[in-house]
Amino acid sequence: MIRLILLALILPLAALAQQPGPPYPLDGVWQTGARNGSWGIVRFAPCGSAYCGTLTGGGGANVDPQYFGTRLVRDMTWDGAAFTGGTLLDVENGRIYRARLRFRSADRLRVSGCVLGGVICGGQTWTRLE
């Protein structure tokens, strides 16, 4: 009887402790927002226990194909509300920012890069292509 009571108390707590997964899959191909007349195409896929995004193409006036194949987004993990804990490389200036990815919808992703411990952030909304 005591075991049943303990199970009745512990099981709901265990269910609360589990973080739900993301509302939509991150895997796939996304187009970055346009900046300085250019945009990129980024493929997200698992990399170990996290997610990473690799620049696979792009277009516009300032696209430099030498960066195709470069991993722009690294080590993003789901924290229950967003993908966090990783970094974002800006190929235009070579800077690496702390990154956060939040779904706006199944096909729209807000990508933010931050400096100074998250005090100053900027970002774009990316669109799913596939």
Side-chain angles (χ1 to χ4, degrees):
M1 182 69 158
I2 292 176
R3 286 183 185 174
L4 288 175
I5 292 172
L6 287 175
L7 279 175
L9 294 173
I10 292 172
L11 287 178
L13 292 176
L16 288 175
Q18 295 177 356
Q19 291 182 349
Y24 312 104
L26 182 60
D27 301 68
V29 178
W30 297 80
Q31 180 175 317
T32 69
R35 187 170 108 186
N36 298 327
S38 301
W39 65 92
I41 305 297
V42 177
R43 177 176 293 281
F44 278 99
C47 56
S49 61
Y51 278 88
C52 297
T54 302
L55 183 66
T56 60
N62 300 310
V63 170
D64 189 342
Q66 77 172 347
Y67 293 108
F68 295 172
T70 300
R71 192 172 277 179
L72 298 183
V73 183
R74 294 179 178 266
D75 304 323
M76 302 303 295
T77 57
W78 183 252
D79 72 4
F83 284 94
T84 60
T87 60
L88 173 65
L89 168 67
D90 183 337
V91 295
E92 287 186 7
N93 62 27
R95 291 186 180 142
I96 298 174
Y97 301 94
R98 291 177 56 191
R100 179 177 61 219
L101 312 175
R102 289 183 187 260
F103 283 104
R104 298 277 189 200
S105 69
D107 297 325
R108 298 183 54 78
L109 184 69
R110 182 68 182 170
V111 178
S112 302
C114 301
V115 295
L116 299 174
V119 174
I120 300 173
C121 298
Q124 301 179 325
T125 299
W126 294 9
T127 304
R128 184 187 302 273
L129 298 178
E130 59 178 70

